[in-house]
Amino acid sequence: MNNFAQSGNQRVLVYPAKTPKVSGKQVYFLFALGQIEDIIRELKVFPLPFSPSYILGLAQWRDQVLPVISLEKCLKLPQGNFISDTNDKIGIKKDHALRPVRLILIRSDNRNIRGLLSVDSAIRLIPRPDSCPALSPGSWLSQKKLVKGVYEWDEGFLLVVNINDILNGEINIKGGGLWNV
Amino acid sequence: MIMKEFMLFQVGHLRFCLELPYIKSVYRISDISGISGKNKENKDFLVCILDNRKVPLYDFSIIFDIKHSAYDPEFHKVIRIELENDIIALRVDHVDGVAEVMENLVTPLPPVIKGKTLEWFPHVLQFEQELIPVLNPRGMTVFRPDVTETDDEKTCEALNNELDSLFLNMINQDELANRFVVSLEQVLGKCLYRELSNFKSLMGKK
């Protein structure tokens, strides 16, 4: 992992992960603006049986069917006091349906694959942080292959995720299915 | 423009659909006999009798752990699904009807979704502002109960078939009674012989 290059005028998007503080610091996800296609305030999310916990369901965006993904669950970040609203048996939301959430429309580097990231907290556009030292992922980060880098920032830790692998399903996480294979 | 027909159905608050050509009949649950658990280790698997044939019954309310339904259980439905060499039954809360939709509204699941979800629901239907998982019965039957009949069940079924045949052929009552008694003796004799063996075995141990 390398240190960030000097920022110039580049801006990035950050939002806090819904996870307890690590070593007293908040964890943030960071995305380049080129990865972001849209920020959607409300969209209906439809549950999908047997899907792993990090798939919150499917949503329809301009005639496309897109997965709604929780990065926190995908990376198996600590849950802390966060109470899951999923049915552990099959991963279907107990309130089933259609609960609108704020979503970030993200795309793979080749722009062929899209997905929606579920975000409960404030999304910020900030100048790309300068001189953030790269860190070795700690034990709190079990899915290291899905992370390109962890950086120490003024406000906490910045996680740069490998969104291509996530959108392509290169994830080795067993779901919560009854007969999950 | 290629059109496809789907049957839409509900289980609890969830809506699913299935391509119409797979469906041969829809029964009211009260018209189905012989519903029982087959696999003691996995109670999610049931069997039922459809047209004198024992078939696996997939009860979506059990599989999806859905306890609440807006529909009276008495009016739940059983959908008979026929595959190339297989018949399966699907218990659902309510059949909403058939929808004819353009083929391009049936979309494969995004690549991030794999595993069992993909086997059971490889596609999703965009219908009336909803995304409805499209059931793939072939993927579903990968996980099926063993409905192989035991020897006793086969004997009983043979007896039933013979009685049916006799009634159909209107054989006189004496012969019917005689053959019934003979068949019954066979079944009971088999059971008695087995119980006697068990008893002897127990006594021998003592």
Side-chain angles (χ1 to χ4, degrees):
Chain A
M1 285 184 248
N2 300 316
N3 287 359
F4 274 134
Q6 293 300 308
S7 67
N9 291 324
Q10 285 189 339
R11 287 166 72 83
V12 292
L13 180 146
V14 296
Y15 71 89
K18 197 160 66 176
T19 182
K21 288 184 176 177
V22 176
S23 304
K25 293 186 173 181
Q26 175 68 51
V27 178
Y28 292 84
F29 293 115
L30 180 147
F31 296 95
L33 284 192
Q35 296 177 292
I36 308 291
E37 203 158 320
D38 206 349
I39 295 172
I40 301 159
R41 191 162 289 276
E42 284 192 354
L43 207 55
K44 288 179 179 176
V45 180
F46 296 87
L48 193 58
F50 303 126
S51 57
S53 60
Y54 59 87
I55 301 289
L56 303 181
L58 298 173
Q60 198 171 15
W61 180 80
R62 294 184 188 168
D63 296 333
Q64 288 188 54
V65 175
L66 302 176
V68 180
I69 299 167
S70 160
L71 276 186
E72 290 89 346
K73 288 181 179 174
C74 192
L75 298 178
K76 289 189 169 177
L77 294 180
Q79 295 278 305
N81 292 327
F82 167 65
I83 298 167
S84 169
D85 64 348
T86 61
N87 178 333
D88 287 335
K89 194 171 182 185
I90 55 169
I92 290 177
K93 309 299 157 296
K94 279 178 180 164
D95 57 356
H96 71 82
L98 320 182
R99 186 166 58 92
V101 293
R102 185 185 250 184
L103 301 160
I104 296 176
L105 178 60
I106 200 151
R107 60 191 174 201
S108 61
D109 288 345
N110 62 12
R111 303 186 176 198
N112 285 340
I113 307 174
R114 292 183 174 85
L116 294 157
L117 303 178
S118 169
V119 183
D120 280 355
S121 44
I123 298 169
R124 284 192 288 162
L125 281 176
I126 60 167
R128 182 166 159 166
D130 291 334
S131 305
C132 287
L135 302 172
S136 293
S139 58
W140 54 275
L141 190 58
S142 59
Q143 296 291 315
K144 294 180 174 63
K145 286 182 179 174
L146 296 177
V147 174
K148 285 182 174 173
V150 183
Y151 300 91
E152 190 165 12
W153 184 39
D154 296 341
E155 298 183 31
F157 295 119
L158 290 172
L159 281 184
V160 180
V161 298
N162 189 342
I163 202 66
N164 288 341
D165 280 1
I166 292 171
L167 292 177
N168 275 303
E170 307 292 328
I171 306 170
N172 187 24
I173 301 176
K174 297 278 187 185
L178 182 58
W179 311 309
N180 205 43
V181 288
Chain B
M1 189 80 62
I2 299 174
M3 303 296 283
K4 282 190 165 185
E5 286 183 309
F6 291 88
M7 179 174 278
L8 291 94
F9 55 91
Q10 287 183 48
V11 183
H13 50 260
L14 299 174
R15 208 170 186 202
F16 303 92
C17 66
L18 176 63
E19 276 195 69
L20 200 58
Y22 285 122
I23 298 169
K24 295 304 167 198
S25 317
V26 177
Y27 308 87
R28 202 194 265 191
I29 189 76
S30 53
D31 295 335
I32 300 298
S33 63
I35 296 178
S36 60
K38 181 71 182 177
N39 187 335
K40 286 177 184 170
E41 290 174 2
N42 192 338
K43 291 177 180 173
D44 294 326
F45 284 135
L46 301 172
V47 292
C48 70
I49 308 292
L50 287 183
D51 296 336
N52 296 322
R53 181 174 168 174
K54 189 176 276 190
V55 299
L57 174 67
Y58 293 78
D59 187 331
F60 269 21
S61 63
I62 295 175
I63 291 170
F64 297 141
D65 194 24
I66 297 167
K67 295 178 178 68
H68 303 289
S69 169
Y71 298 94
D72 185 341
E74 196 181 329
F75 297 103
H76 287 184
K77 298 288 191 290
V78 171
I79 301 173
R80 177 187 171 132
I81 299 170
E82 287 195 15
L83 306 172
E84 288 82 7
N85 299 310
D86 208 358
I87 299 175
I88 58 174
L90 181 64
R91 179 177 178 168
V92 303
D93 291 1
H94 186 254
V95 172
D96 292 347
V98 174
E100 190 178 27
V101 298
M102 288 183 290
E103 192 183 38
N104 63 350
L105 294 176
V106 183
T107 314
L109 289 185
V112 68
I113 295 157
K114 293 188 171 161
K116 193 176 171 193
T117 309
L118 196 60
E119 286 168 353
W120 282 53
F121 304 100
H123 296 87
V124 65
L125 172 66
Q126 300 179 63
F127 182 71
E128 292 179 345
Q129 308 300 315
E130 273 189 67
L131 296 178
I132 303 171
V134 180
L135 180 65
N136 171 27
R138 289 191 185 88
M140 205 167 75
T141 55
V142 172
F143 307 87
R144 58 167 293 161
D146 176 16
V147 292
T148 311
E149 290 166 320
T150 61
D151 287 345
D152 284 351
E153 287 171 334
K154 282 178 184 168
T155 310
C156 287
E157 190 178 335
L159 173 60
N160 277 332
N161 290 340
E162 191 169 350
L163 288 171
D164 286 345
S165 167
L166 289 170
F167 279 118
L168 283 172
N169 294 320
M170 299 294 287
I171 289 177
N172 70 64
Q173 287 191 354
D174 286 343
E175 186 171 351
L176 176 64
N178 285 336
R179 293 179 77 164
F180 179 75
V181 168
V182 168
S183 299
L184 201 59
E185 278 174 353
Q186 283 176 358
V187 175
L188 290 176
K190 198 172 175 182
C191 295
L192 283 171
Y193 176 79
R194 191 172 57 206
E195 290 305 317
L196 194 60
S197 299
N198 289 341
F199 180 71
K200 281 179 180 172
S201 165
L202 282 170
M203 292 304 288
K205 280 178 187 172
K206 285 185 178 178

